[in-house]
Amino acid sequence: MSTSYELTASVRNRVGKGAARASRREGKIPAVIYGDKQSPLAIELSHKDVFLKLHAGGFLTTVATINVDGDKIRVIPRDFALDPVTDQPIHVDFLRITAGATIHVQIPVQVINEDKAPGLKAGGVLNIVTHEIDLNCPADAIPDHIVVDLTGLNIGDSVHLSSITLPEGVKPTSAEDATLATIAPPAALTTEEQAEDAAAAAAKA
């Protein structure tokens, strides 16, 4: 689980595009905190702080505390916008987090033990079908990633979500048993098989 962090913010007294541009000129990033049946709170944060956290990894899956003029609010980032030209962050949406809350997040898949998969050693091709999994997680126990172990897998084998032991309290958002990864036949072998099938079909014609 990613380590929580704290950001310092101040209330934005003005909202709108003009006010947002003014905040950015001052080295700030406009943001909003919403949820928990409270009115949205317009704030602004240090551009440097947000930039560093955004590029540290796990930004959308890590609970944070925002100190808004002395009032500490637990949140999780839900969305952010980047400037289409500079790729710099220009806005962030935060969701308030209450004690014991369960939230919907997308958790990345991490593949391990590729060197222990006989299928890959035999020339098979790893195909990661699902790069992120939609999960419901306790807000205070969001996993950094879901591990897919390839140990012992052969050509033609696949790994499904149902075969993964999820952390306590973590559940899929869908009943569908998603395919996470497969080991496909080598491209050359596939071509050869297609040629054989075509020859067999021609012989029957």
Side-chain angles (χ1 to χ4, degrees), residues 24 28 36 41 48 63 96 116 120 124 138 149 181 202:
R24 296 184 192 110
K28 304 289 186 180
D36 194 27
L41 177 62
K48 179 181 178 181
V63 173
R96 289 184 179 90
K116 297 180 180 178
L120 294 180
D149 191 344

Side-chain angles (χ1 to χ4, degrees), residues 82-117:
L82 301 177
D83 185 283
V85 177
T86 66
D87 248 9
Q88 294 293 316
I90 57 175
H91 191 274
V92 184
D93 289 339
F94 294 97
L95 175 68
R96 289 184 179 90
I97 296 295
T98 55
T102 298
I103 59 175
H104 171 206
V105 289
Q106 291 184 315
I107 304 299
V109 168
Q110 180 183 36
V111 174
I112 64 171
N113 292 328
E114 294 182 45
D115 59 330
K116 297 180 180 178

Side-chain angles (χ1 to χ4, degrees), residues 152-164:
L153 295 188
N154 292 294
I155 291 175
D157 286 346
S158 58
V159 181
H160 295 85
L161 182 57
S162 60
S163 67
I164 303 295

Side-chain angles (χ1 to χ4, degrees), residues 34-76:
Y34 66 94
D36 194 27
K37 299 179 182 179
Q38 299 183 42
S39 299
L41 177 62
I43 60 172
E44 57 185 13
L45 308 107
S46 160
H47 177 279
K48 179 181 178 181
D49 289 347
V50 173
F51 180 86
L52 291 175
K53 293 301 180 185
L54 186 60
H55 289 274
F59 185 66
L60 295 177
T61 57
T62 304
V63 173
T65 299
I66 299 184
N67 187 334
V68 185
D69 299 329
D71 182 17
K72 295 190 176 183
I73 305 172
R74 295 183 73 240
V75 301
I76 187 168

